[in-house]
Amino acid sequence: MGYFDEELLDIKRSLERQNYTTLETGMYAGENLITFTDVTLPDSAIHLPLPDQFIVMPAEVKKIKYPSVNAPYFIVTSLDSTVNIGFNILPTIILEGEVANISIQFQNALKNLNPVVVIKNSTISKTEIGNEMAWFEYKGYHLDGQSYNRIYFIKFRKCVLQGMFSCQLKDKSEWEEIIEKIFL
């Protein structure tokens, strides 16, 4: 038999969480309330909300976690470096409908580099302001163990924003809604 005071605390926590369901109010990732500030990406006019609790990944950590020359140029990370959001700006002008082709090319390159990668939920949509967007997800294997990864491509007038999200596979459900809202 459960204790009534524990049930009341669970109900109180659930009600409290209902106040934090947007990027403006903050959102919960597990037991942690994540708040957001609009950030302009370096050397661009692109701005989007990023977690206040994250820091820019130090260069020495970036070299270890992302040793490729194609690593994101700008990465923010949780303090334990298990949740990462990265960005590349591809200086290319593409026509309407071509963001899907970029996504497919990237998926094929990813599978060629690592044949065990299984691409899931390859999606074409639009951001809230109408920019064409493609994204897909896959499970990866890194120094930290298994990871959940999403790759985004968003068409702008003079460039394409490539966004990358990764977290530990066990934390996927805590971050899916948050990352969707950030890139939308």
Side-chain angles (χ1 to χ4, degrees):
M1 183 166 140
Y3 294 100
F4 185 66
D5 57 341
E6 290 176 4
E7 291 176 29
L8 285 175
L9 283 174
D10 287 343
I11 291 169
K12 184 178 177 183
R13 278 190 212 108
S14 177
L15 289 172
E16 178 70 16
R17 283 177 171 259
Q18 291 176 11
N19 294 324
Y20 300 100
T21 58
T22 68
L23 298 176
E24 290 77 22
T25 61
M27 297 179 73
Y28 274 92
E31 295 300 314
N32 300 314
L33 177 61
I34 308 297
T35 56
F36 301 86
T37 298
D38 213 34
V39 173
T40 302
L41 298 180
D43 303 322
S44 79
I46 299 170
H47 56 92
L48 53 148
L50 294 177
D52 293 327
Q53 295 78 4
F54 283 28
I55 61 169
V56 175
M57 183 177 279
E60 52 277 0
V61 175
K62 182 179 170 183
K63 286 178 189 174
I64 294 167
K65 284 192 81 131
Y66 299 96
S68 169
V69 295
N70 298 319
Y73 85 98
F74 181 71
I75 304 171
V76 293
T77 185
S78 58
L79 294 179
D80 64 359
S81 78
T82 60
V83 182
N84 303 298
I85 307 170
F87 305 94
N88 278 324
I89 296 176
L90 310 175
T92 183
I93 298 173
I94 61 172
L95 301 174
E96 195 69 30
E98 289 183 344
V99 76
N101 294 337
I102 291 175
S103 180
I104 290 168
Q105 289 172 0
F106 194 88
Q107 291 173 43
N108 290 336
L110 188 59
K111 286 189 244 179
N112 287 339
L113 288 172
N114 191 351
V116 299
V117 166
V118 176
I119 305 295
K120 294 186 176 184
N121 295 328
S122 185
T123 304
I124 308 298
S125 62
K126 294 212 180 258
T127 65
E128 289 177 352
I129 60 171
N131 292 4
E132 187 179 352
M133 175 172 69
W135 67 269
F136 63 91
E137 59 189 12
Y138 67 95
K139 182 172 37 173
Y141 303 89
H142 302 281
L143 295 173
D144 305 24
Q146 289 186 339
S147 64
Y148 169 71
N149 301 273
R150 275 196 185 186
I151 306 294
Y152 286 83
F153 296 94
I154 301 172
K155 178 187 180 301
F156 288 92
R157 278 180 261 145
K158 296 184 179 186
C159 67
V160 174
L161 175 66
Q162 177 192 9
M164 175 279 308
F165 169 78
S166 70
C167 69
Q168 294 178 335
L169 188 60
K170 68 180 180 63
D171 298 330
K172 170 186 174 183
S173 64
E174 296 176 3
W175 284 94
E176 280 181 304
E177 184 180 5
I178 292 171
I179 204 63
E180 283 177 21
K181 289 185 178 193
I182 286 173
F183 281 100
L184 278 176

